[in-house]
Amino acid sequence: MSKFKTRAVAILALCIALNVVGSNIALLLKLPIYLDSIGTVLAAACFGPIGGMLAGGITALLVSFTDLYSLFFMPVQLLIGLVAGLLYRRVKPNTFKNNWWLALAIALPGTLMSTLITVILFHGITSSGSSMLVQLLLGAGMNRVAAVFLIQIGTDYLDRFLTVYVVTLVYRAVRYRLPQFN
């Protein structure tokens, strides 16, 4: 039993590290996607909603040292971990045919929450590269909430689709080596 706990803690730590590195790469390169939830979704696929929420929450705390905005978006990370964990209870991430709808189902609740956070707390502008796209729409005369939601849904879906695809690849590779994930 101790071997499993050690392995689980190590995998959870790797998931968190993957989130932190991805987030900092996206921030540094000002990408319009976030890359901060691959580890959260992988932890949710492997350990369920609690594992996903744990990875997402710790990630938000750690990334806040380099990007203070991430602390305000911790509820989004927690929601992504919860939703992904609940979905992966029903659908194992070992096939690519479910990726498009899994990405949408994981992205949509987080998009709604992050839109509210972005509009209410930051008036539509954060440290992410997608804020440049929001500014373009605002400059064209679009409503602030509509502009943030439109950009957020597009970037969140793209980010979660990439996330679900990577999680599927990793899960397929790991499940043979770690039979407790089957």
Side-chain angles (χ1 to χ4, degrees):
M1 192 66 159
S2 168
K3 191 180 223 182
F4 176 73
K5 287 182 183 178
T6 303
R7 194 176 284 171
V9 169
I11 291 170
L12 215 53
L14 285 171
C15 289
I16 293 165
L18 184 61
N19 281 347
V20 170
V21 169
S23 175
N24 284 315
I25 288 171
L27 183 65
L28 179 70
L29 299 177
K30 289 288 187 200
L31 297 176
I33 58 174
Y34 315 103
L35 303 176
D36 64 348
S37 59
I38 296 171
T40 302
V41 175
L42 181 59
C46 295
F47 303 113
I50 300 297
M53 292 174 72
L54 190 59
I58 293 171
T59 295
L61 288 173
L62 292 176
V63 173
S64 71
F65 289 110
T66 56
D67 180 21
L68 187 59
Y69 287 98
S70 74
L71 197 55
F72 295 98
F73 288 94
M74 182 189 286
V76 177
Q77 279 280 8
L78 296 173
L79 187 60
I80 290 169
L82 175 67
V83 171
L86 293 173
L87 287 170
Y88 282 128
R89 280 185 174 172
R90 301 220 183 268
V91 179
K92 289 294 179 194
N94 55 2
T95 179
F96 293 105
K97 70 179 180 175
N98 298 319
N99 285 0
W100 71 271
W101 72 265
L102 281 170
L104 183 62
I106 294 169
L108 197 53
T111 296
L112 294 172
M113 185 175 284
S114 63
T115 298
L116 288 173
I117 293 168
T118 302
V119 170
I120 293 170
L121 295 180
F122 305 112
H123 306 291
I125 308 301
T126 63
S127 61
S128 105
S130 63
S131 287
M132 292 182 268
L133 300 172
V134 170
Q135 288 176 340
L136 287 173
L137 292 179
L138 291 174
M142 187 178 271
N143 173 293
R144 184 179 314 276
V145 175
V148 171
F149 180 77
L150 185 65
I151 296 303
Q152 201 71 44
I153 191 69
T155 57
D156 279 358
Y157 181 74
L158 180 61
D159 185 69
R160 297 314 173 268
F161 186 78
L162 178 64
T163 295
V164 169
Y165 187 81
V166 169
V167 167
T168 302
L169 289 174
V170 171
Y171 192 89
R172 290 174 93 182
V174 170
R175 72 183 175 138
Y176 296 112
R177 292 176 182 85
L178 301 172
Q180 68 266 23
F181 295 137
N182 285 325

